[in-house]
Amino acid sequence: MNDKYDIIVIGGGHNGLTAATKLAKNGKKVAVIEKRQALGGIAAGEEFHPGYKSTGLIHDTSTIRMSVVKSLNLKDFGLNIEEKRPNTTILGSSGECIELSDNIEETCQEISKYSNKDAEAYKDYRSFIASIRPFVDGLMNEMPPDLIKLGTKDLWTLLKKAIGLKRLGNKTMLEFLKVAPMSVADFINERFETEFLKAGLVAPAIYHSYTGPWSSYSTLNLLLWECASANSIIGGPQALVTALEKAAIAVNVDILTNCGAKQVLLDDNNEVMGVLLADDKVVQAPIVASSCTPLVTFYDLLKPNQIEYSLEHSIKHYRSRGTAVKVNLALNKALSLNGLSNIEYARTGNSIDEMEKSFDFVKYRKFSVTPILDIHVPSVSSPELAPENHCVVSVIAHFASHELEGGWSEDPKKVFGQNVIQTLEQYSPGISNSVVGMEVLSPQDLEERYGLANGQVYHGEHAVDQILTRPIPSCMRYSTPISGLYLCGSGSHPGGGITCMPGALGSEAILKNR
Amino acid sequence: MPIKSPFFPRTSQLCTSMYWKEWAGYHAVSSYGTLHDVEYFAFRYSAGLLDITPLFKYKITGTDSASFLSRVMVRDISQLKIGRVTYCCWCNEDGKVVDDGTVMRRGENEFFVTSADPCFSWFSRFTRGYDVEVNDISDQIAGLAVQGPTSRDILKKFCDVDLDSLKFFSTTSAKVKDFEIYISRTGYTGDLGYELWIENENALTLWDLIMDYGKSYDLRPAGLAALDVTRVEAGLILKDVDYYNALHTLIEDRMSSPYEISLGWTVNLERDPFNGQAALKAEKQAGSNWAIVGLDIDWVEIEELYNRHGLPPEVGSTAWRDSIPIYVDSSMNKQIGYATSGTWSPILKKNIALATIEKKYDQIDSKLQIEVTVEHKRHTVTATVSKPQFYNPERKTSNPVKS
Amino acid sequence: MSKRYDSIIIGGGHNGLICAAYLAKAGRKVLVLEKRHVLGGAAVSEELYPGFTFSVASYVVSLFRPHIIRELNLAKHGYEIIPMDCSFLPLPNGDSLARWADPQRSRREIARFSQKDAETYPEFSRVMTHMGKLAKAVIDHPAPDITSMNPRELANIFRLGRTFKGLGPELLHLNTKLVTMSALDFLDLWFESDVLKAPMAVSGIIGTFQGVRSPGTAYVLLHHYMGQLDGSFRSWGFSKGGTGGVSLACASSARSYGAEIRTEAAVQQVLIKNGEARGVVLENGDEILANSIVSNLDPNRTYLKMVGESELDDEVVKEIKRYKLRGSSGKVNLALDRVPEFSCRPGDGDHIRGDVAIAPSIDYLEKAFDQAKYGEFSTRPYINAVIPSLTDPSVAPPGKHILSCFVQYAPYHIKEGAENWPKYREAFGDAVVDTMAEYIPGLKDMILYRQVLTPWDIEQTMGLTEGNIFQGELSLEQLLFQRPLAGYAKYKTSINKLWMCGSGTHPGGGIMGAGGELCAKTMLNARAI
């Protein structure tokens, strides 16, 4: 470790590593400092029970941007990626199953087991997604125009986006503008009739958000996710981290683990001069890029009088309310869901109203009795994660309040864990008997382990205003009001999930400004 | 529906004119008699007693009180010594003034702050990361101003402290009967005077004591009308008259920096970050657009205007608070500012005003034109630019015993 | 068939009457046809019980566009608004909050719950005034059509863009938030106390099928601040003689310009020939011809009933069926034999001369909404109550009073189906009276007469589809160039010579009059008649 760098990246998650590698590839001397022992942040795999490993806190790798994979040559560093979205099974509580795959024909056939109308509707739905994808991709892959300052250049970018929208054709554009603000319940109800299918389709819109399917604007989230979800990484998020680490080392990035940042140091002109580490060592650098949440970056890494009140106020009101609990299960046999084994990804929900009722709990600072499950069984494709013939199940369960009445002590965690297993029983009778190990991570645990404010996995909710000017207007282009301090985490455009895009665009902003 | 100050049982008996105003949600006496002149002369020749309870009062405690206040105020409060008072203003992050008031240091970790607008919410916004507690004690603490040449002698009659050596802008606690009062040698009249702070329940006892002992020193209860004349003479600006709270204005033109309202001297720029620092540094470098100045309005020209109509010159008996245009010359083509308050000064025998004018015209002794209306017609007369402070008697700051 | 009109207006609501007045003022021959025996639509006064005149549906006036008052000379025609001085919130624990026009008095009231909030309150009003400026730019003009590349439309968009940009960065961002956030999240930017936030947040849900936590409701909140814009006008008030007074003033103005107005003249259908509106057929079979037809009815009724699917493109039928109405509110009007006194703050003082909100907490409001989401009326609803007889003696006999309760939520689509609402009407009325009685001891013994209006009743009597008082949900996809339909948002419909002027057009619901005015002006500008 040196004591002087061009750029220090705080946080060794997938975004931090992406940013560091991109910067180093451009000739910068870069260090990544990671508080935890393992790299990867929420993408890091953990041994949660002796002999059983998870592949990361969140398991959806389908939104990884190929542009990043290509520009960092991640395949050369061992990344095994398929350019198609993974098959996902939608489960009904009476044994129903529909497997959604990249192959629309096959999927429609699956759906027509339950409803021909829905099969037709699904085809239309996919073609609508395909028609808006170029526009949405354009939004996600580029630095956003400064919607607030609206300089000439920003207006020009905005105009280009508007033209991009118009280029979809009036009909698609109007449909997009019409449905985006709608509740996802309305949007899906207009098209489909089979209850459990509808529930499965709306689910991604409400994951990690503080909204139920009946909340306005939830359709926008669904559309963004549908457009982005196009790939799958074999081995899950941890595999991505492993490749990213190799790529970083190859361009001489200094990676320092067990190395927390205590403070970003500013000089008399309020400009960045380095980082004070947890062990009180000082590392100098004129630029610091933080992949931590906006709250940690501005509240914990700076002194209170180093940020103006308006910034503090916007950060304080940047909405970041965790609504999910992570449950890792170790099973002593393979998991079968609704009679099917070898399912890798599955979703439950049963009906839109049930999902809404599940959301209602968080409004009153409680958790759902029958949570909605987003299931990943990584051991299907990576058997090494568990002992032979055993299996690892990664469940993200909604909804649970981050400000649970009475607090997230061991008891409520146990109860919620049981709620998850009881819910799984509906799809996998007898599963309770095969559970040999279980880890329940409440929003509070997530905050403590990963520094996620209120356990919000996306570093801030994907609400419209927080998508358009992410995280806040004065920081929406990765630079901040503090000269030399940049953001490069999920709290920045285009947001949370495993995309690596905030890291990539953040590093671009740094290279452009200096 | 204004509320009553703890002194209301007395002030309401004495206010025979029934001239009241609303001050910060309180009933406040405008003048006790139909004419306020006697109350003015009490301030200047003997002593006036004014109920200042409607001011907002805050107690700031905690080990970081000083650094917290230094962050909020344009002044470096950490330099303030125990027992001393400072007058200053506080800004938003754009360097625009939110309010002004006094800060008194009662102890290493205890301050007493007064303000014109409610500021609890404002102060509380900056407490994150500081060991500090902001307490609004506005409703628990009553205030009385005893102002004028005989004020010290009156207080000496019943206070157990050495007021002869209490310096201007210093404070002390005193025991009166069986209770304590907090005295600061401050005021809004620009004269020798004190402000007394006291728990509500003892307020009336204190009032009665002062009135009793004051009799021999020609003390009178005085209202806001008289105060207004004295504060213009002293060149003390007033929120909502000479400037506006930046948080409550709709347009930027109505916001002011400390430099623009003659409070530049209260700003300590080179130190740890404080609210408005960056903006104020920039303004200091680039120069301000506006300045508050004093205007000495030419009496002879006014007299002349009235003469033309066969009238003796008329000046209002009270201070005024209208916005009066200031021009660069008598053609009235180019307005360069506006006077915000003014008065006939009985003690200086001058017609004076406080005005906000473009900075480039603020040279002392330069001549400008102010609008006057005589017999419904608009004219201008010459006004000479001066410092805002017109009246500053030696007794205001001096002590009979050198300490 | 007697004479030929330049324009026939279907529906004598305030927008229809205003539209008629503007057209007549411009010299056009206009006929207004109202189904009921009274004019006003939802802005109607009726003497339902001897001596008591009820503002049956809409009960307060705040958003009425001041230039309409001037241009139609409404003050001369009896437009009288009595300002409301206070918003009162009784609390179940015996406490209460009154917000007054006097800022210092409000500050002291709010400070009892949160001192910070009390002091932030004026800052909030200041910001909302800025936001209102923007809203004014939006509501006082037809919505620009973004699908068009016509230079005039582009100029309109540019004009709006400039207004937006003129706000400056901070306010612009706030504006984005305002359009997309929930009323509660938006208020959270300023306030901490539930007791203040709850009665403020309800402004964001009135008339919508949304809860205070639903994204998008902050926009509706702004609707309620727009009244503050117009300087000398107080923001909220009662119309003298009930809300129908506004409609009657509009009618009187319209007549003074020569418009003809008929009541009990229900239109059955718009006469369409070769895709063009030629006249109307009344329920009694009469046909009346005109050069243009203006519908003050909601979009659903206009397109699907007055025109009929057979005359419409499939695409239009599909889109109009997607148009969300979903009435969510009801009304309970009570005639009382004495002043209803609140136990938490007794007496008939100024605190009950404005509006009274039963909205004790955010959770209370959310729970009321939860019931509605799943097809039930709220058993403990949000209620906005007024006692207009305390300030306007003309509406009730001396010493007697009217308690008019706007109630939410009463979803049109109850689980059992909307047509079963009559079975639940009295139970709904009881829930409202029970709720009010928790704050007004002895209320049940004071009641001389009770009228309960469910959304079903509102649909049946006033012709508002699904009982939606705004003629359509105020959600972003149904506003601006999309109200009611993209491409037909400028008062024109897909049928030639058929126009719309109701709340289902831009800028939406409330007693604003803007729909009627802008429709008439658009028609005249286009030389359509």
Side-chain angles (χ1 to χ4, degrees):
Chain A
M1 174 176 142
N2 296 304
D3 54 5
K4 214 165 177 179
Y5 290 92
D6 292 333
I7 297 153
I8 298 170
V9 177
I10 302 179
H14 57 287
N15 278 314
L17 290 170
T18 303
T21 311
K22 282 213 139 199
L23 291 166
K25 279 186 91 142
N26 280 276
K28 304 291 176 191
K29 204 168 145 206
V30 185
V32 176
I33 56 176
E34 165 59 46
K35 185 171 74 174
R36 302 181 67 210
Q37 187 171 0
L39 276 181
I42 59 163
E46 318 264 347
E47 186 171 59
F48 65 92
H49 186 76
Y52 298 82
K53 283 196 196 118
S54 75
T55 59
L57 169 62
I58 48 177
H59 47 240
D60 177 12
T61 53
S62 71
T63 55
I64 178 82
R65 306 310 286 169
M66 282 314 286
S67 59
V68 180
V69 173
K70 283 175 191 146
S71 69
L72 298 183
N73 304 322
L74 291 182
K75 284 183 186 170
D76 296 348
F77 294 102
L79 189 70
N80 188 356
I81 185 166
E82 285 181 37
E83 290 186 50
K84 69 179 197 51
R85 57 161 68 180
N87 294 358
T88 302
T89 305
I90 293 180
L91 304 170
S93 58
S94 322
E96 307 96 324
C97 285
I98 291 177
E99 190 179 38
L100 305 179
S101 76
D102 229 23
N103 185 323
I104 292 172
E105 284 305 318
E106 275 173 29
T107 307
C108 288
Q109 249 168 33
E110 280 270 307
I111 295 174
S112 61
K113 285 191 297 194
Y114 300 95
S115 158
N116 285 323
K117 187 174 162 270
D118 282 356
E120 278 308 304
Y122 188 75
K123 213 175 278 172
D124 287 348
Y125 172 65
R126 297 299 320 171
S127 72
F128 174 62
I129 299 294
S131 66
I132 59 169
R133 179 171 286 140
F135 170 68
V136 174
D137 268 354
L139 292 183
M140 291 194 63
N141 289 343
E142 286 166 25
M143 215 186 284
D146 193 330
L147 286 174
I148 296 309
K149 284 201 197 94
L150 277 186
T152 322
K153 216 170 155 192
D154 299 309
L155 277 174
W156 178 237
T157 321
L158 199 62
L159 191 67
K160 277 198 293 190
K161 304 263 184 239
I163 291 170
L165 187 60
K166 277 215 74 128
R167 206 169 273 155
L168 301 177
N170 259 350
K171 198 168 168 232
T172 310
M173 172 181 83
L174 285 176
E175 184 65 12
F176 178 72
L177 290 175
K178 173 139 201 139
V179 300
M182 281 171 46
S183 77
V184 70
D186 275 329
F187 175 69
I188 292 295
N189 276 335
E190 274 183 353
R191 290 166 170 74
F192 298 93
E193 57 181 15
T194 310
E195 275 305 325
F196 82 97
L197 171 67
K198 289 197 280 190
L201 289 174
V202 306
I206 55 168
Y207 288 159
H208 304 294
S209 77
Y210 197 85
T211 49
W214 280 108
S215 303
S216 301
Y217 292 98
S218 42
T219 303
L220 180 64
N221 271 341
L222 181 67
L223 299 181
L224 293 179
W225 182 85
E226 287 280 16
C227 289
S229 169
N231 307 298
S232 55
I233 295 175
I234 313 303
Q238 177 57 51
L240 172 68
V241 175
T242 310
L244 277 171
E245 183 180 4
K246 286 182 192 152
I249 290 168
V251 286
N252 298 318
V253 172
D254 276 359
I255 298 177
L256 312 164
T257 52
N258 283 324
C259 181
K262 199 189 250 177
Q263 207 169 61
V264 174
L265 297 171
L266 306 186
D267 64 15
D268 287 346
N269 295 321
N270 242 20
E271 287 173 15
V272 167
M273 52 188 268
V275 174
L276 177 69
L277 301 178
D279 57 8
D280 286 327
K281 263 196 212 110
V282 173
V283 194
Q284 289 182 336
I287 294 177
V288 167
S290 168
S291 64
C292 309
T293 66
L295 194 74
V296 167
T297 307
F298 291 109
Y299 270 40
D300 297 349
L301 297 179
L302 290 168
K303 287 192 212 157
N305 63 354
Q306 288 174 331
I307 59 171
E308 299 281 20
Y309 175 68
S310 60
L311 178 63
E312 177 174 334
H313 184 254
S314 340
I315 291 297
K316 180 175 163 195
H317 291 283
Y318 173 66
R319 300 186 304 290
S320 173
R321 294 165 289 192
T323 52
V325 169
K326 175 67 192 278
V327 179
N328 285 314
L329 295 173
L331 303 186
N332 60 15
K333 58 177 190 196
L335 176 69
S336 102
L337 291 165
N338 282 358
L340 298 173
S341 49
N342 288 328
I343 290 182
E344 204 175 347
Y345 291 91
R347 291 180 210 149
T348 74
N350 291 335
S351 80
I352 289 177
D353 272 2
E354 269 183 55
M355 295 171 98
E356 180 73 23
K357 280 180 184 157
S358 180
F359 167 65
D360 285 343
F361 285 101
V362 296
K363 297 191 297 192
Y364 310 112
R365 299 157 295 279
K366 295 186 164 65
F367 55 65
S368 167
V369 181
T370 48
I372 302 161
L373 309 182
D374 174 17
I375 303 165
H376 179 208
V377 194
S379 49
V380 170
S381 62
S382 311
E384 70 280 6
L385 295 169
E388 212 182 329
N389 296 326
H390 287 211
C391 111
V392 167
V393 186
S394 162
V395 179
I396 296 175
H398 287 81
F399 281 89
S401 171
H402 68 277
E403 44 178 4
L404 191 72
E405 225 168 41
W408 275 106
S409 54
E410 282 309 309
D411 281 347
K413 273 166 65 175
K414 222 174 265 169
V415 174
F416 190 80
Q418 279 313 308
N419 289 351
V420 169
I421 290 179
Q422 283 313 309
T423 308
L424 276 171
E425 280 280 340
Q426 292 179 26
Y427 311 96
S428 184
I431 188 177
S432 352
N433 301 325
S434 49
V435 176
V436 292
M438 174 158 100
E439 179 187 45
V440 179
L441 296 171
S442 71
Q444 196 186 311
D445 296 330
L446 300 182
E447 171 154 5
E448 277 161 23
R449 188 184 287 186
Y450 300 102
L452 300 166
N454 299 317
Q456 218 295 337
V457 174
Y458 288 165
H459 291 202
E461 294 158 39
H462 286 179
V464 192
D465 58 311
Q466 300 193 156
I467 291 174
L468 288 175
T469 56
R470 192 166 181 88
I472 56 167
S474 59
C475 303
M476 66 176 289
R477 288 162 65 82
Y478 310 96
S479 62
T480 69
I482 310 282
S483 176
L485 178 63
Y486 288 79
L487 302 179
C488 65
S490 293
S492 292
H493 178 83
I498 296 180
T499 68
C500 291
M501 216 53 210
L505 292 172
S507 61
E508 271 175 36
I510 292 171
L511 292 168
K512 212 176 266 178
N513 284 11
R514 290 279 161 142
Chain B
M1 199 177 60
I3 59 169
K4 295 162 183 169
S5 114
F7 300 111
F8 188 81
R10 299 291 182 273
T11 54
S12 55
Q13 290 299 307
L14 292 162
C15 182
T16 53
S17 69
M18 303 294 262
Y19 289 171
W20 294 81
K21 296 179 77 160
E22 192 247 73
W23 176 13
Y26 281 86
H27 291 289
V29 175
S30 192
S31 67
Y32 287 88
T34 329
L35 297 173
H36 68 276
D37 306 43
V38 284
E39 293 163 33
Y40 165 80
F41 284 111
F43 278 141
R44 288 294 180 233
Y45 294 141
S46 52
L49 179 62
L50 178 80
D51 177 5
I52 54 169
T53 305
L55 283 171
F56 293 89
K57 290 143 280 185
Y58 303 96
K59 188 166 121 178
I60 318 284
T61 51
T63 55
D64 292 335
S65 306
S67 54
F68 162 73
L69 284 170
S70 300
R71 193 245 161 117
V72 173
M73 307 286 172
V74 298
R75 263 213 168 166
D76 188 356
I77 300 298
S78 60
Q79 303 296 319
L80 189 68
K81 296 202 168 61
I82 294 169
R84 292 287 293 166
V85 192
T86 187
Y87 168 70
C88 66
C89 60
W90 41 103
C91 290
N92 65 14
E93 65 194 61
D94 302 321
K96 303 298 183 189
V97 179
V98 168
D99 200 353
D100 64 322
T102 53
V103 181
M104 309 172 206
R105 189 165 201 166
R106 299 201 61 169
E108 183 59 31
N109 297 320
E110 185 184 339
F111 292 82
F112 179 63
V113 179
T114 65
S115 68
D117 260 341
C119 284
F120 177 79
S121 166
W122 181 254
F123 291 158
S124 302
R125 286 172 201 184
F126 307 98
T127 53
R128 184 181 67 88
Y130 292 93
D131 172 31
V132 68
E133 200 182 321
V134 179
N135 272 299
D136 187 340
I137 49 170
S138 303
D139 287 349
Q140 289 116 59
I141 302 291
L144 274 181
V146 189
Q147 303 274 309
T150 62
S151 57
R152 183 187 290 125
D153 297 329
I154 297 167
L155 297 190
K156 272 159 73 177
K157 289 284 172 194
F158 62 88
C159 293
D160 66 340
V161 286
D162 176 16
L163 289 174
D164 283 337
S165 61
L166 185 71
K167 286 189 188 156
F168 186 53
F169 268 68
S170 284
T171 67
T172 182
S173 290
K175 199 156 181 230
V176 174
K177 288 197 159 172
D178 56 343
F179 53 86
E180 206 165 80
I181 62 172
Y182 186 54
I183 303 176
S184 59
R185 190 173 161 189
T186 47
Y188 203 51
T189 59
D191 215 311
L192 172 65
Y194 302 85
E195 289 172 316
L196 316 181
W197 311 100
I198 183 169
E199 310 274 333
N200 282 350
E201 58 266 31
N202 299 317
L204 286 180
T205 317
L206 180 66
W207 174 280
D208 293 341
L209 267 175
I210 297 173
M211 288 293 283
D212 273 357
Y213 286 109
K215 267 181 206 147
S216 332
Y217 297 89
D218 294 334
L219 171 122
R220 277 178 175 277
L224 295 172
L227 180 75
D228 217 16
V229 178
T230 60
R231 69 108 190 157
V232 175
E233 289 175 337
L236 299 169
I237 56 167
L238 181 58
K239 186 189 68 68
D240 288 339
V241 173
D242 303 305
Y243 80 95
Y244 296 103
N245 178 339
L247 302 179
H248 298 163
T249 57
L250 273 170
I251 53 172
E252 208 183 322
D253 282 351
R254 291 192 180 174
M255 301 177 185
S256 311
S257 78
Y259 298 112
E260 292 172 332
I261 57 170
S262 70
L263 296 184
W265 60 276
T266 66
V267 182
N268 302 134
L269 270 186
E270 299 304 328
R271 55 188 179 92
D272 274 355
F274 64 94
N275 285 345
Q277 186 183 42
L280 292 175
K281 272 185 180 171
E283 181 174 334
K284 177 111 193 189
Q285 194 145 49
S288 309
N289 295 324
W290 298 93
I292 285 188
V293 295
L295 293 178
D296 180 350
I297 302 165
D298 194 292
W299 183 251
V300 178
E301 290 181 28
I302 292 179
E303 205 166 20
E304 174 66 21
L305 283 174
Y306 279 92
N307 270 343
R308 274 194 235 159
H309 293 277
L311 290 168
E314 288 166 11
V315 285
S317 63
T318 52
W320 47 264
R321 295 172 169 192
D322 315 280
S323 170
I324 308 283
I326 307 290
Y327 301 98
V328 72
D329 59 39
S330 57
S331 71
M332 294 166 87
N333 284 334
K334 190 175 179 197
Q335 185 178 346
I336 52 137
Y338 47 94
T340 46
S341 20
T343 187
W344 165 256
S345 165
I347 199 159
L348 301 167
K349 305 292 180 224
K350 272 184 183 176
N351 206 3
I352 56 173
L354 297 174
T356 298
I357 60 168
E358 288 175 32
K359 175 79 182 158
K360 61 181 172 210
Y361 294 99
D362 78 341
Q363 294 87 347
I364 303 296
D365 291 336
S366 62
K367 309 278 184 203
L368 299 170
Q369 294 288 313
I370 184 167
E371 191 174 290
V372 282
T373 304
V374 180
E375 278 304 281
H376 320 292
K377 288 210 178 96
R378 293 186 294 158
H379 308 269
T380 66
V381 297
T382 304
T384 308
V385 175
S386 72
K387 284 188 176 163
Q389 190 183 46
F390 296 96
Y391 180 69
N392 188 21
E394 192 259 339
R395 63 175 177 259
K396 179 178 89 175
T397 50
S398 69
N399 287 64
V401 180
K402 293 273 178 260
S403 58
Chain C
M1 192 198 111
S2 47
K3 44 186 173 177
R4 194 172 174 90
Y5 293 92
D6 290 319
S7 196
I8 291 174
I9 289 156
I10 308 172
H14 73 287
N15 274 315
L17 295 166
I18 286 167
C19 185
Y22 272 101
L23 293 177
K25 193 181 172 192
R28 306 301 192 271
K29 224 162 117 62
V30 184
L31 172 67
V32 179
L33 298 171
E34 166 58 42
K35 176 176 80 164
R36 302 190 67 207
H37 63 287
V38 280
L39 286 171
V44 66
S45 303
E46 288 183 69
E47 186 176 329
L48 298 173
Y49 185 73
F52 292 84
T53 305
F54 292 92
S55 298
V56 175
S58 183
Y59 56 102
V60 284
V61 183
S62 76
L63 307 169
F64 203 86
R65 310 308 305 135
H67 60 271
I68 298 177
I69 302 173
R70 283 194 307 274
E71 289 169 4
L72 297 182
N73 217 349
L74 294 182
K76 192 184 124 196
H77 291 283
Y79 179 87
E80 285 178 77
I81 301 294
I82 305 163
M84 292 164 47
D85 209 29
C86 179
S87 286
F88 180 60
L89 174 85
L91 292 166
N93 65 3
D95 208 334
S96 60
L97 170 70
R99 290 177 290 144
W100 305 92
D102 171 356
Q104 300 286 5
R105 199 174 177 188
S106 287
R107 178 172 60 78
R108 291 198 166 271
E109 287 262 5
I110 300 168
R112 290 192 293 118
F113 301 97
S114 159
Q115 184 151 3
K116 285 187 203 168
D117 289 1
E119 296 178 11
T120 312
Y121 197 64
E123 286 180 51
F124 178 76
S125 300
R126 169 182 157 260
V127 167
M128 291 307 270
T129 308
H130 275 298
M131 296 287 125
K133 272 196 284 189
L134 184 71
K136 192 177 155 81
V138 173
I139 60 175
D140 284 345
H141 301 275
D145 183 356
I146 67 154
T147 60
S148 163
M149 276 291 176
N150 167 336
R152 195 191 295 165
E153 289 301 338
L154 290 177
N156 276 339
I157 296 172
F158 186 68
R159 176 185 57 79
L160 256 182
R162 250 203 336 228
T163 316
F164 272 76
K165 204 172 171 233
L167 281 178
E170 206 181 311
L171 290 168
L172 188 60
H173 178 231
L174 209 54
N175 189 65
T176 323
K177 287 181 174 286
L178 197 55
V179 175
T180 59
M181 276 169 108
S182 76
L184 180 62
D185 285 343
F186 190 72
L187 291 169
D188 275 340
L189 294 174
W190 279 271
F191 305 115
E192 60 182 15
S193 165
D194 231 31
V195 173
L196 180 64
K197 283 188 284 186
M200 290 179 82
V202 289
S203 298
I205 54 163
I206 285 185
T208 74
F209 194 78
Q210 304 276 343
V212 290
R213 288 185 189 276
S214 308
T217 48
Y219 171 79
V220 187
L221 197 77
L222 175 65
H223 249 248
H224 288 251
Y225 268 83
M226 288 193 283
Q228 286 198 344
L229 272 180
D230 303 305
S232 56
F233 294 86
R234 278 281 186 67
S235 47
W236 289 86
F238 298 113
S239 168
K240 190 152 184 298
T243 307
V246 173
S247 304
L248 295 181
C250 298
S252 166
S253 167
R255 285 200 189 95
S256 77
Y257 294 119
E260 195 183 323
I261 300 171
R262 286 190 214 162
T263 52
E264 293 178 275
V267 175
Q268 176 141 38
Q269 188 106 56
V270 174
L271 263 179
I272 292 169
K273 218 167 181 182
N274 301 331
E276 191 173 287
R278 297 283 175 86
V280 297
V281 187
L282 300 188
E283 275 179 5
N284 65 12
D286 288 357
E287 288 190 6
I288 312 175
L289 300 185
N291 294 332
S292 66
I293 309 295
V294 181
S295 168
N296 183 22
L297 312 181
D298 66 64
N300 186 289
R301 198 156 284 239
T302 302
Y303 278 100
L304 300 180
K305 300 246 167 64
M306 291 294 135
V307 176
E309 286 189 33
S310 58
E311 296 287 343
L312 296 167
D313 286 350
D314 292 349
E315 203 50 32
V316 171
V317 173
K318 189 183 138 213
E319 288 302 315
I320 206 72
K321 284 185 174 167
R322 289 171 91 185
Y323 184 78
K324 292 193 286 288
L325 289 135
R326 296 182 187 163
S328 61
S329 51
K331 195 76 199 292
V332 173
N333 294 311
L334 302 173
L336 305 180
D337 69 359
R338 64 196 113 119
V339 177
E341 291 190 43
F342 287 79
S343 53
C344 58
R345 207 181 285 207
D348 63 350
D350 285 342
H351 62 287
I352 55 172
R353 288 166 193 243
D355 74 310
V356 180
I358 306 298
S361 72
I362 295 293
D363 280 0
Y364 176 97
L365 297 169
E366 263 313 298
K367 281 180 181 150
F369 177 52
D370 285 349
Q371 281 183 296
K373 276 197 298 196
Y374 309 116
E376 292 165 29
F377 64 79
S378 316
T379 42
R380 278 294 172 270
Y382 157 58
I383 298 172
N384 194 235
V386 290
I387 313 168
S389 47
L390 281 169
T391 41
D392 178 4
S394 75
V395 296
K400 310 269 190 267
H401 289 282
I402 282 176
L403 179 64
S404 172
C405 305
F406 170 85
V407 190
Q408 208 161 318
Y409 297 84
Y412 176 82
H413 295 289
I414 45 173
K415 266 190 299 207
E416 295 78 359
E419 67 284 0
N420 282 307
W421 252 117
K423 280 193 242 163
Y424 294 92
R425 185 186 295 127
E426 293 313 312
F428 172 62
D430 290 345
V432 174
V433 171
D434 287 347
T435 306
M436 289 306 289
E438 285 176 13
Y439 302 90
I440 306 173
L443 174 68
K444 291 175 191 173
D445 303 327
M446 302 176 203
I447 301 173
L448 300 171
Y449 170 81
R450 165 170 120 173
Q451 181 200 26
V452 182
L453 279 178
T454 69
W456 172 259
D457 301 320
I458 292 172
E459 179 181 66
Q460 298 304 310
T461 52
M462 294 173 189
L464 290 164
T465 306
E466 299 191 9
N468 188 307
I469 59 172
F470 291 154
Q471 294 196 348
E473 189 81 307
L474 293 179
S475 48
L476 188 64
E477 75 275 15
Q478 300 196 160
L479 290 172
L480 298 167
F481 70 93
Q482 304 194 92
R483 192 167 188 92
L485 298 181
Y488 302 112
K490 299 191 128 187
Y491 314 99
K492 243 173 121 66
T493 67
S494 70
I495 301 289
N496 212 356
K497 299 198 172 171
L498 175 65
W499 301 75
M500 282 177 51
C501 72
S503 296
T505 60
H506 175 78
I511 305 182
M512 276 199 263
E517 176 224 359
L518 292 172
C519 174
K521 288 182 175 171
T522 307
M523 289 171 76
L524 293 167
N525 278 342
R527 301 185 192 285
I529 59 169

